[in-house]
Amino acid sequence: MVGQPKRLLARASSVTLSRMIAELRSVSVDIGERRILHDVDLKIPSGTIVAAIGASGSGKSTLLRLFNGLQHATDGLVMRNGQRIEQQSLREVRFNTGYALQQIALLPHLSVRDNIALPMRIAGRTDHNTTTRVQQLSGRMQLTEAQLDRYPAQLSGGQQQRAGICRALALAPQLLLLDEAFSGLDAITRSETHAQFLAMRGDEINSCLLVTHDLAEAKRLADYFVILSEGRIVRQGPRDDVLRDPQDPYAARLIEQCL
């Protein structure tokens, strides 16, 4: 650690002391006869935005499904709040986890307002609390009252994506999982949505695992990088450390090509 900039020392110290919201310990995943993840170790501290970066098929989305209980580990431990995920109520794990996909998956027969409110209704929240929360989130993501009363097909792609993020945040989740959530947007809309995302950091957005193939997006949004290749983590660390010193040849090529 001798000679490390004080800023990096402070960041490393804060990560060490932070409570671990989610963690993988020597996790491997097999689907059929194919190994999707190989002996992965990953920690998501409280208050950290982690970007999982890599090509299609590298295992990025499998990380999200493990933390949401949608995928079981073949070997190793999946932890949430220091406890094995299979020892917890899956219902409670999912209530504490926001999940937004590239495909958005808003229900077409419900208004945008009712789509955002759906997790709260499933969780048994009162109508008053649900109404207040929808108003709060839609305001932060700059969705108007008129847009809330429309159906998803009547909104632009960017508006649908913002509604999907509102729904993912409806229950004030401890961990937000984003699977290529911004990749279907045009450059201008993506930049605007990034700005709205960052403006919600610290109050609405605490800890987040962001899956992306876009290194520039990861650089803008994340504190910590995890670079995957063929189901293995080839480099991970604080964003600036990884960008300055990729260490792994694949990580170096990815950074050179994308930035």
Side-chain angles (χ1 to χ4, degrees), residues 199-220:
M200 298 173 76
R201 181 162 187 192
D203 48 9
E204 294 294 351
I205 298 171
N206 177 27
S207 303
C208 176
L209 177 57
L210 164 70
V211 159
T212 182
H213 65 273
D214 184 343
L215 200 65
E217 176 175 85
K219 183 180 177 182
R220 183 176 187 187

Side-chain angles (χ1 to χ4, degrees), residues 130-161:
T130 297
T131 299
T132 301
R133 183 68 173 150
V134 170
Q135 294 290 341
Q136 181 184 39
L137 288 170
S138 60
R140 295 294 300 273
M141 290 303 285
Q142 299 181 12
L143 292 169
T144 67
E145 283 293 312
Q147 289 163 349
L148 290 177
D149 289 329
R150 294 173 186 163
Y151 290 96
Q154 297 173 303
L155 299 187
S156 69
Q159 291 163 351
Q160 290 182 43
Q161 196 59 264

Side-chain angles (χ1 to χ4, degrees), residues 120-134:
M120 291 174 280
R121 297 213 164 106
I122 293 172
R125 301 289 172 85
T126 67
D127 288 344
H128 172 73
N129 288 342
T130 297
T131 299
T132 301
R133 183 68 173 150
V134 170

